[in-house]
């Protein structure tokens, strides 16, 4: 494929999705990330897009929200790795909240195998993934259907969550920064996510590395409320993602990083799981933490437990 054809395809993908990772662009145009990065620089010089933390976004300040059809085809390997790791932090018999999103949908598919769960959700996709799980009870909020992400929003959804208390909430979003925390592009979605957070003792954010450092219009979860971030392993050249992870850890967020390589690694999770080794990622802190792992993605931990929870040891995050 000629450079002009590649760049046109890259531009079309960014315009359609709002934000696309270099990994995904390289896969679609069938070339290396090095070549794609060069194309993205050229398009940025023309003012057609902006480079952003291992990917490309529409030009301008805040990224816009993509619809479900576009999101479902982005960063699929990363979402799978994140969901695999996130499922290890759910115990049998728990009551949890799972918010809307394609990453949380992947998590829901894995939750179907954990008996005795009660899952509260405003997402039709999450509910559908758990519909045939005989030993999982699904509780849906009320509200008005938002077709772009198949989620229930509005006052009905928020009111149905009043008085609810669960052990933890698993949420996704459009962007995550150490300064503002988790954010999304839609006001109604942000309002419901805030209500979901109020119902949970702990908040776990699921966000792939392309969302790190991305800021969108409506804050959903301030950084000091996030207990743990589960993300994927950033590309080796993405120093900004490592910097953002360190900044989040400095504010008390535990960070588990799931790699797409399939080798084990990780963070302390329930004892019924097996052991896995740590994967080095950039950070000045050092330490080791045991974790589970048969068949899991690579993972690493950075930071300390959020206030009110048990202290967490720090995993070695040095870059190879």
């Amino acid at each position: 494929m000629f450079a002009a054809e590649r760049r046109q395809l890259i531009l079309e993908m960014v315009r359609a999705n709002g934000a696309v990772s270099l990994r995904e662009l390289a896969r679609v145009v069938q070339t290396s990330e090095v070549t794609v990065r060069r194309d993205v620089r050229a398009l940025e010089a023309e003012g057609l897009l902006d480079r952003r933390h291992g990917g490309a976004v529409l030009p301008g300040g805040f990224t816009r929200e993509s619809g479900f059809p576009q999101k479902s085809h982005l960063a699929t390997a990363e979402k799978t790795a994140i969901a695999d790791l996130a499922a290890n932090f759910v115990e049998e018999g728990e009551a949890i909240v799972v918010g809307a999103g394609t990453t949380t949908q992947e998590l829901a598919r894995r939750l179907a195998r954990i008996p005795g769960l009660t899952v509260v959700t405003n997402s039709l996709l999450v509910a559908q993934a758990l519909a045939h799980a005989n030993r999982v009870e699904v509780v849906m909020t009320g509200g008005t259907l938002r077709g772009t992400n198949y989620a229930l929003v509005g006052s009905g959804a928020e009111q149905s969550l009043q008085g609810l208390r669960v052990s933890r909430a698993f949420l996704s979003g459009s962007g995550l920064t150490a300064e503002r925390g988790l954010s999304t592009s839609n006001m109604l979605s942000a309002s419901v996510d805030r209500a979901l957070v109020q119902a949970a003792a702990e908040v776990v954010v699921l966000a792939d590395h392309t969302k790190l450092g991305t800021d969108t219009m409506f804050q959903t979860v301030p950084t000091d409320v996030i207990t743990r971030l589960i993300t994927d392993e950033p590309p080796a050249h993405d120093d900004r993602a490592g910097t953002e992870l360190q900044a989040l850890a400095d504010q008390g967020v535990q960070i588990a990083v799931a790699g797409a390589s399939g080798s084990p690694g990780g963070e302390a999770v329930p004892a019924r799981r097996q052991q896995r080794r740590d994967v080095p990622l950039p950070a000045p802190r050092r330490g080791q933490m045991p974790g589970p792992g048969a068949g899991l993605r690579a993972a690493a931990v950075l930071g300390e437990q959020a206030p009110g929870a048990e202290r967490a040891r720090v995993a070695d995050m040095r870059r190879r």
Side-chain angles (χ1 to χ4, degrees), residues 59-312:
F62 296 111
T63 58
R64 68 173 177 84
E65 184 181 35
S66 304
F68 170 75
Q70 292 80 24
K71 287 182 179 179
S72 63
H73 293 95
L74 294 177
T76 54
E78 290 87 345
K79 291 172 184 177
T80 297
I82 290 168
D84 284 342
L85 181 55
N88 286 278
F89 295 98
V90 180
E91 292 292 328
E92 295 182 6
E94 273 194 287
I96 62 174
V97 159
V98 180
T102 52
T103 309
T104 51
Q105 179 189 25
E106 284 296 321
L107 171 61
R109 290 171 177 150
R110 288 146 182 82
L111 296 180
R113 300 190 291 265
I114 302 177
L117 287 183
T118 299
V119 178
V120 181
T121 185
N122 69 319
S123 169
L124 298 187
L125 299 175
V126 169
Q128 183 183 41
L130 294 169
H132 300 292
N134 294 328
R135 295 179 292 177
V136 177
E137 181 179 359
V138 179
V139 179
M140 295 204 68
T141 68
T144 303
L145 177 62
R146 184 166 179 260
T148 55
N149 64 348
Y150 298 95
L152 297 172
V153 297
S155 60
E158 295 170 39
Q159 290 172 9
S160 67
L161 293 165
Q162 292 180 2
L164 181 71
R165 194 63 173 171
V166 298
S167 58
R168 58 181 58 87
F170 291 87
L171 299 177
S172 187
S174 302
L176 178 65
T177 66
E179 180 180 1
R180 290 185 71 218
L182 188 67
S183 61
T184 188
S185 303
N186 182 265
M187 181 173 63
L188 293 175
S189 295
S191 186
V192 173
D193 282 354
R194 285 192 288 267
L196 293 172
V197 168
Q198 291 296 319
E202 296 182 2
V203 177
V204 181
V205 171
L206 311 182
D208 67 73
H209 74 274
T210 63
K211 296 178 181 178
L212 296 176
T214 298
D215 202 3
T216 53
M217 290 185 67
F218 301 99
Q219 183 191 58
T220 57
V221 190
T223 304
D224 60 0
V225 177
I226 300 173
T227 307
R228 178 180 288 112
L229 164 66
I230 302 179
T231 185
D232 64 293
E233 186 176 0
H237 64 271
D238 194 352
D239 294 332
R240 289 176 294 183
T243 300
E244 197 71 43
L245 289 175
Q246 182 62 57
L248 288 162
D250 288 343
Q251 296 195 41
V253 179
Q254 272 200 328
I255 299 174
V257 181
S261 63
S263 58
E267 176 174 344
V269 296
R272 62 185 175 86
R273 312 290 187 183
Q274 299 181 11
Q275 296 279 331
R276 63 182 180 224
R277 68 175 176 81
D278 292 328
V279 171
L281 283 174
R285 302 185 177 189
R286 303 171 69 91
Q288 294 260 338
M289 181 173 293
L296 297 180
R297 302 292 184 180
V301 180
L302 174 64
E304 297 181 351
Q305 188 79 0
E310 75 273 14
R311 291 183 57 82

